[in-house]
Amino acid sequence: MDKFRIQGGVPLEGEIAVGGAKNSALPALAACLLTSDPVTLRRIPPVRDIGTMQQLLQHAGADLEVADGSVTVRAARLDHPEAPYDLVKTMRASSLVLGPLVARTGRARVSMPGGCAIGARPINLHVAALEQLGAEIQHSHGYVEARAPHGLKGALVHFDRITVTGTEDVLMAAVLAEGETVIHNAAREPEVQDLALLLNKMGACVEGAGTSTIRVQGVAALHGTEHTIIADRIEAGTFLIAGAITRGDLVVSGFVPEHVYALTAKLRQAGVDITAAGEGALRVRAASRLRATDITTEEFPGFATDLQAQYMALITLAEGISFISETIFENRFMHTQELARMGATIRVEGRQAIVAGVTELTGAQVIASDLRASASLVLAGLVAHGETLVDRVYHIDRGYEKIEEKLARAGARIERII
Ligand code: EPU
């Protein structure tokens, strides 16, 4: 199993460019199932979860051409509209094919995702929303089976709680449903907006994406198009924190700074200097010790749960006590025990972590438990005294494109050991 070996203590300098957003590319690939025409997607990040989604599309019957950051999907025939357990168990976002498959073929069979390191993560809200659109749903042998032999019908869909992939799933179903669908309490994430943009380029009629009410006028069929995926705001945020935690002078480029406002506001409060560095780029500098700063994770535009672990790594070294509240997932503090092995002082009480800042972290052998937790351990390793070995980095490969090479180009002493 691959590991990262990191020698801490080098301030990061230079520039790191951000890649395409995994969480935008995943629904975009699923959306390609909605038409028999070819759809070309650019800026597809070559990370493991994308490989899994591509296998799902191929399993369903689509042909894929992958070339240098772009993918062309032709879903002319979908003989197997299903997502098998073997693929779903490695990536929960597989449930994103449920909506498009039932809308396009009138049937879909998707394995129920099992447990997950960060929380239960059920898909009951996806299922209830598709039922509102007229899909008949049955649960059998660990699978959700959806049928709509006479097509879906537009409806009012109210989400009991905000769900990102749930919103995306029902949005993809609604574009081919008959009549109007209104989605209330929709997720407002930039990835939902990017999906709506792609769907409209394919001939759909979606309004209001990026707000909590999305209106869709169903159309009979969609057509092919080309689309470039937005930049990965979580990768951008991770590198901004990398610059700050190493007290470096780093430019992070190729993304939309507005997408990380909740993070940059907190970094500034903590004492990090952040300035614009041209279009789509921020320069991050941190000369002295940071101040304790509390965060509460929220849906967009609040502080992203996908940056909570990385932010915690940073704040373990701040002066004073910081409170970190995780409101999105019930078990997203697995990194605290590993950070504690590196000298951090953290107490977890339910959904809150209380971090008492220390002056130094020390290198240790640590184990990555999920994607963002692994990123936090890498960040801690970059600043820790001595050597850190991060085990199970396959978690990080699910969502970051060669993170060790990008960090090394900015001066980090990090290498992959196979
Ligand atoms: N939830 C339900 N029922 C559902 C759906 C969600 O109870 O049917 C609950 C979840 O258990 C969770 C909350 O609602 O407690 C919000 O979950 P959401 O559905 O918004 O999460 P998701 O769509 O499964 C996406 C990202 C995650 C990110 C979350 C929150 C993708 C592919 N995944 O997951 O990204 O953490 O939104 O922003 O877009 C990551 O990239 O590391 C990652 C986990």
Side-chain angles (χ1 to χ4, degrees), residues 22-24 26-27 49 53 91-96 116 118-128 159 161-168 187 189 191 232-234 298-300 303-307 310 326-330 332 351 370-373 395 398-400:
K22 163 185 83 85
N23 288 350
S24 203
L26 289 172
D49 276 7
M53 182 57 89
M91 187 185 67
R92 309 179 58 80
S94 307
S95 49
L96 278 167
C116 170
I118 62 176
R121 306 187 73 186
I123 57 164
N124 58 311
L125 299 174
H126 302 227
V127 167
F159 279 112
R161 70 172 291 177
I162 297 173
T163 157
V164 178
T165 50
T167 301
E168 293 164 346
E189 269 64 5
E191 293 76 19
D232 196 315
R233 63 194 166 99
I234 306 302
E298 284 169 6
E299 294 87 2
F300 189 83
F303 194 100
T305 173
D306 289 345
L307 286 169
Q310 301 90 314
E326 172 57 57
T327 71
I328 307 293
F329 292 111
E330 63 272 23
R332 211 173 197 181
R351 293 237 188 153
D370 71 77
L371 169 56
R372 309 302 172 186
H395 286 295
R398 289 186 51 193
Y400 290 89

